[in-house]
Amino acid sequence: MSYLLHVDSSSLGTASVSRQVADSFRDAWTGEVVHRDLAASPVPHLSAAAISAQLTDPAERTAEQAAAAGVQDELIAEFLGASAYLFTVPMYNRTMPSVFKAWLDQVIVVGRTISRTGAAPAADRPAVLISARGGGYGPGTPNEGKDFLVPTLESILGDPAYLSLDVTTLTAELTKAPVVPALAHLIPAHEASLANAHEQARLQAEKISQQLTA
């Protein structure tokens, strides 16, 4: 067992529901944790220098390319060094925060974290994706089919052609119910969703901890 890589992306700090659910996971986790808070310390968006550096011999890189490659090297080494992952990604405007997309773009590199000829280096490592959203996106809701966060991340993180992680997703829905008067009738549903997310987070932490120490 090496460490859990916890990547946070909510801008709300301690008021963030996704971070609060992640705290339940962390409280039940028994191993080492490396925490990267993208809201507090964003990584650069992928630049032309970073892309061209991947195709340039290290000895021939410009100073800008070398700096960009150094950022990628650090993030990729941190990603590959983990034995499990916790991703805290709230829904912003039906998709992921831009800081998390920037992190993904830095980490996903053919030949390093994904493979076109065999299994990805981190294939089948356990990952928990925790998301929170102001509304409800389940079957029969007005927002059904408008969740462009969870399906996208489950594909990127779990698809064998990409990172190929073993992803479990936990969501806390209707987080606006306690603060938007028109949604007050949905507070019980929100509270049930939140309680379930906290409980499942604890259970997943215990399960993965046991798997990695067995």
Side-chain angles (χ1 to χ4, degrees), residues 7-126:
V7 182
D8 251 327
S9 60
S10 172
S11 298
L12 284 177
T14 57
S16 162
V17 172
S18 60
R19 287 178 184 263
Q20 292 166 11
V21 175
D23 286 343
S24 290
F25 183 102
R26 293 277 301 270
D27 288 344
W29 182 257
T30 58
E32 181 184 352
V33 177
V34 172
H35 184 208
R36 181 170 287 276
D37 189 338
L38 298 174
S41 300
V43 302
H45 286 276
L46 202 60
S47 64
I51 295 171
S52 60
Q54 297 173 17
L55 306 174
T56 304
D57 186 296
E60 298 178 359
R61 288 171 179 165
T62 65
E64 186 180 10
Q65 287 176 322
V71 171
Q72 281 197 310
D73 289 345
E74 176 187 347
L75 295 174
I76 289 171
E78 184 177 77
F79 173 78
L80 292 177
S83 55
Y85 306 89
L86 176 62
F87 301 112
T88 313
V89 191
M91 178 185 284
Y92 288 176
N93 299 315
R94 296 182 178 170
T95 187
M96 71 189 80
S98 64
V99 291
F100 193 79
K101 181 62 165 61
W103 179 83
L104 283 174
D105 288 341
Q106 294 283 4
V107 167
I108 296 174
V109 178
V110 175
R112 300 186 69 180
T113 56
I114 64 176
S115 173
R116 297 303 186 215
T117 59
D124 301 321
R125 295 180 192 176

